[in-house]
Amino acid sequence: MTQQIEKTLRDSAGVRWTALLLLALAMFCAYIFMDILSPIKDLMLTTRGWDSTAFGTMQGSETFLNVFVFFLIFAGIILDKMGVRFTAILSGAVMLVGALIKYYAISENFIGSGVEVWFTNNLNHIPVFEQLGVSPFYEGMPASAKVAACGFMIFGCGAEMAGITVSRGIVKWFKGREMALAMGSEMALARLGVATCMIFSPFFAKFGGTIDVSRSVAFGVVLLCIALMMFIVYFFMDKKLDAQTGEAEEKDDPFRIKDLGQILSSLGFWLVALLCVLYYSAIFPFQKYAVNMLQCNLTFKGVEAGSFWASSSVTIVQYAIMLVVAVTAFMFNFMKKKSMKYLMLTISVVALVVYCYMGYMRQSAESIFAVFPLLAVGITPILGNYVDHKGKAASMLVLGSLLLILCHLTFAFVLPTFQGNLVGGVIVAYLTILVLGASFSLVPASLWPSVPKLVDAKIIGSAYALIFWIQNIGLWLFPLLIGKVLDKTNPGVTEATKLNYTAPLVMLASLGLAALIIGLILKVVDKKKGLGLEEPNIK
C-alpha cells in the first residue's frame, strides 16, 4: 500500500505544482476580467454615456446573484455533490458566457439594436429589490449598462464558483503538505491579473490611436477562453489522481441541510468568516476607486506627445519588467543555493525600481497602482512556507489587519500632504501600495488553509461557499458606501480628480480595526478550544 501511495500524482511535487499552476492561471484570467473596465471609467462616460452611478451600479452587479439569490450557497452544494472536476469546468463556462454578454453590450453592434431598445424601455423598476434599495437597475440607466450588468452577474456567479472550487482543489492536492504555501502562491500569481488589467485595459481601448472600449473587454473574453482550457486540462489530471488513489469524486453521502448547521454552529468558522468579510471589504472595493484616489491626491504633469513615455510600446516594456519582478521574486523562495537566491533577489529589486521609475515617467495613476501585487508575489511563498512549518496563522491575520489600518490611514492623511510634490507623493504612494499588497498576501497564506481545520472534510466546499457568500455581501455593499460617502463629503465638486477621499479611507481603516479585534478574539478562541490555527499544516 505504501508503495502504491508513493506513485500517485499527488506525491510528485512537480505534478501537484503543475495542477496548482493550471488553477492559478485560470484565476489570473478571471481577476483580469473582474476589473477590466475600472481603468477606463472615463472612456465609458465619453463613449457609452455611463455616468458614475451607471458605472458603479454595473460594477456592483457582479455579486448580486451570489448575495441575493444565494447562488454561492448552491455552488458550494454543487461542489460537494459533483466534485472539483465538474464544478471547475462549469465555473469556467459560466464565466465565459457572462463575459460574452458583457462584450456584446459594450460593442458597436449593440448600438441601435432591438436589444438596446427593449432594455431602454424595460427593467427600469424591479419590485421588492427597488424598495429595499438594492436593485441592479434603475430608470434612466443606459441599456448597454443594463445588459453589461446582466453579463457581469453571470460572470460573478462563475468567478465565485471558481474561487471556492480552486480552494477545494488545492486542499485535495496539498492537504498534509505545503497547503498554505500553495494557497498563498495561487492567490499571489492570480492577483497579477490586477496589474495586468490596470496596464492593458487602457492600452487596448486606445490601441492604434482610435478609442474602442470593446477591445478591452474582448481581451478579457479571450483570456477567459484560456481559463476554461486550463480547467479542462486540470479535469484530466484530477481524474487520473482519483484513479490512482481510489478516491471517489462524487460523495457517497448526499448533501443535507444539517451539514450547513454543522458549519454554522462553529464559533471558529464565524470568526474566520467575519474576519474575511471585513478584510476583503477594505481591499476589493478600494481597488475600484484606487486609481481615482491617486489622481485626486497626486500631482501629475503632462507627458510630451510623441515621446517614448507617451507611446504604446512603453506599456509592453513596463509589463515585461513587471513580469521579471514577479518571476524572480517568486523563484527566490525556491532556490537552494545562496548565490542563486541573492541573484534572484537582486534582479527583482532592480527590476522593481525600474518599473516604479517608468510608472513615474508615464505620469499615470493606473500604472502606479499596478504595483499593488508585486511585493505579495515575493513574500506570499515565505508566509505560506512559515505557516506550513511553524503555524501562527491567526497571528498572521492580526498582523495583516494592522498593516491594512496603517496603509489606509497613510492614504487618508499622509499622501494628501504631498500634493504638488511630484516625486515625494509618488514615492509615498508606491511604498503604501506595496505594503498594502503585502498585507493582502497574509490572507490567502493564513486564512484559507485554516478552514479545513474547522469543518469536516466532506463539507469543505459548502464551508468555503458560505465564507465567500458572506464576503460577497461586503463586496456588494462597500463600493456603494464609498460612492455615497464621496458624494456626501464632496458637495458641489464636479471634477473627478478633485475629490477628497479622507472619509472613505477612514471608513476602510475602521474595517481593518474591526478585523484586528476579530483576529485577537480568534487567537483567544483558538487557544481555548484547540482549533489548531496556530499549529503548522505539516506535522
Side-chain angles (χ1 to χ4, degrees):
M1 177 63 87
T2 303
Q3 188 176 6
Q4 182 185 357
I5 293 175
E6 287 175 352
K7 292 179 180 178
T8 64
L9 293 176
R10 187 161 47 200
D11 288 286
S12 168
V15 175
R16 68 174 178 268
W17 282 92
T18 298
L20 176 75
L21 182 62
L22 292 170
L23 297 174
L25 285 174
M27 293 309 296
F28 169 84
C29 297
Y31 268 65
I32 290 175
F33 196 85
M34 281 181 195
D35 281 318
I36 199 71
L37 295 182
S38 295
I40 55 172
K41 177 178 180 290
D42 55 333
L43 299 181
M44 296 309 298
L45 173 62
T46 56
T47 64
R48 295 297 183 269
W50 293 14
D51 58 15
S52 294
T53 301
F55 184 84
T57 303
M58 190 285 303
Q59 291 282 49
S61 67
E62 180 193 353
T63 59
F64 183 83
L65 294 178
N66 289 324
V67 173
F68 295 105
V69 188
F70 304 103
F71 181 81
L72 258 174
I73 307 301
F74 296 121
I77 296 172
I78 292 170
L79 177 57
D80 281 334
K81 181 121 180 113
M82 303 302 294
V84 174
R85 294 195 297 272
F86 173 86
T87 314
I89 292 182
L90 177 63
S91 64
V94 171
M95 284 194 293
L96 184 57
V97 169
L100 287 169
I101 294 172
K102 186 172 181 178
Y103 169 72
Y104 171 67
I106 294 169
S107 70
E108 295 287 340
N109 293 330
F110 180 81
I111 299 173
S113 67
V115 178
E116 181 182 31
V117 173
W118 191 89
F119 273 87
T120 299
N121 298 326
N122 294 278
L123 297 182
N124 294 311
H125 302 285
I126 311 297
V128 181
F129 288 113
E130 187 173 347
Q131 280 70 34
L132 293 173
V134 297
S135 176
F137 312 116
Y138 60 88
E139 189 168 7
M141 185 176 182
S144 58
K146 288 181 185 176
V147 178
C150 291
F152 210 28
M153 287 179 201
I154 296 171
F155 166 82
C157 291
E160 295 300 332
M161 185 192 296
I164 60 174
T165 303
V166 166
S167 297
R168 175 67 171 271
I170 295 173
V171 170
K172 180 175 184 177
W173 282 80
F174 285 87
K175 190 169 185 179
R177 296 173 176 84
E178 325 93 325
M179 188 163 61
L181 174 61
M183 284 193 171
S185 298
E186 180 269 321
M187 288 308 296
L189 292 173
R191 284 184 185 133
L192 283 176
V194 177
T196 304
C197 172
M198 294 295 167
I199 290 176
F200 278 107
S201 180
F203 172 79
F204 282 110
K206 301 173 184 177
F207 187 76
T210 58
I211 293 176
D212 184 355
V213 292
S214 68
R215 284 196 297 255
S216 296
V217 184
F219 168 62
V221 170
V222 170
L223 290 176
L224 288 176
C225 291
I226 295 173
L228 181 56
M229 287 188 281
M230 295 296 103
F231 280 139
I232 291 172
V233 175
Y234 174 82
F235 176 96
F236 290 104
M237 286 186 65
D238 195 80
K239 187 175 183 180
K240 187 172 181 180
L241 173 66
D242 282 354
Q244 290 180 329
T245 61
E247 295 175 2
E249 173 67 2
E250 290 79 25
K251 303 300 173 186
D252 293 328
D253 296 331
F255 177 85
R256 294 165 296 186
I257 293 298
K258 70 177 184 179
D259 291 335
L260 291 181
Q262 179 186 338
I263 298 171
L264 296 175
S265 63
S266 168
L267 177 60
F269 169 84
W270 275 110
L271 291 173
V272 167
L274 286 173
L275 196 109
C276 175
V277 69
L278 291 168
Y279 202 98
Y280 275 76
S281 295
I283 297 284
F284 281 126
F286 171 72
Q287 282 180 195
K288 299 187 184 300
Y289 290 87
V291 172
N292 186 235
M293 184 276 295
L294 292 176
Q295 292 170 338
C296 294
N297 286 307
L298 294 176
T299 302
F300 292 109
K301 62 179 180 179
V303 179
E304 184 180 345
S307 68
F308 170 71
W309 303 110
S311 68
S312 58
S313 58
V314 69
T315 303
I316 307 298
V317 174
Q318 192 179 18
Y319 187 69
I321 292 172
M322 186 192 79
L323 291 180
V324 171
V325 177
V327 170
T328 52
F330 192 76
M331 289 175 62
F332 162 79
N333 294 277
F334 300 95
M335 292 295 173
K336 302 297 183 184
K337 292 182 179 179
K338 279 191 175 182
S339 58
M340 289 301 295
K341 284 181 74 76
Y342 290 125
L343 176 62
M344 291 295 106
L345 182 61
T346 301
I347 294 173
S348 183
V349 171
V350 171
L352 179 61
V353 172
V354 173
Y355 174 90
C356 292
Y357 172 75
M358 293 184 72
Y360 167 74
M361 291 301 295
R362 291 183 68 185
Q363 293 292 290
S364 162
E366 56 266 30
S367 181
I368 290 172
F369 186 70
V371 81
F372 175 65
L374 295 187
L375 187 59
V377 173
I379 71 166
T380 300
I382 298 173
L383 297 171
N385 194 50
Y386 185 87
V387 172
D388 281 330
H389 291 89
K390 303 291 185 181
K392 306 296 181 185
S395 299
M396 291 280 193
L397 294 171
V398 170
L399 177 60
S401 301
L402 283 170
L403 292 176
L404 182 69
I405 296 167
L406 177 64
C407 289
H408 282 313
L409 291 180
T410 300
F411 284 134
F413 299 109
V414 178
L415 189 61
T417 64
F418 283 85
Q419 279 189 333
N421 188 330
L422 292 177
V423 178
V426 171
I427 290 174
V428 171
Y430 269 134
L431 291 175
T432 310
I433 293 167
L434 283 167
V435 173
L436 185 64
S439 165
F440 199 17
S441 69
L442 288 159
V443 174
S446 51
L447 188 149
W448 299 119
S450 299
V451 177
K453 298 178 180 179
L454 301 174
V455 299
D456 188 87
K458 88 177 179 70
I459 53 173
I460 287 175
S462 298
Y464 277 126
L466 278 171
I467 291 180
F468 273 56
W469 178 72
I470 295 168
Q471 170 190 316
N472 269 241
I473 295 174
L475 301 187
W476 163 78
L477 176 63
F478 281 95
L480 298 178
L481 285 181
I482 292 172
K484 290 182 181 295
V485 171
L486 275 175
D487 287 338
K488 290 290 184 181
T489 55
N490 291 275
V493 179
T494 56
E495 281 191 62
T497 58
K498 300 294 183 182
L499 298 171
N500 186 326
Y501 267 83
T502 303
L505 289 167
V506 170
M507 178 179 69
L508 296 176
S510 65
L511 290 178
L513 178 60
L516 174 63
I517 294 170
I518 296 294
L520 292 171
I521 295 173
L522 183 62
K523 279 176 66 71
V524 173
V525 172
D526 175 61
K527 192 172 181 179
K528 277 188 176 182
K529 294 184 175 290
L531 300 177
L533 300 183
E534 294 284 84
E535 296 177 5
N537 292 323
I538 300 175
K539 299 179 182 178

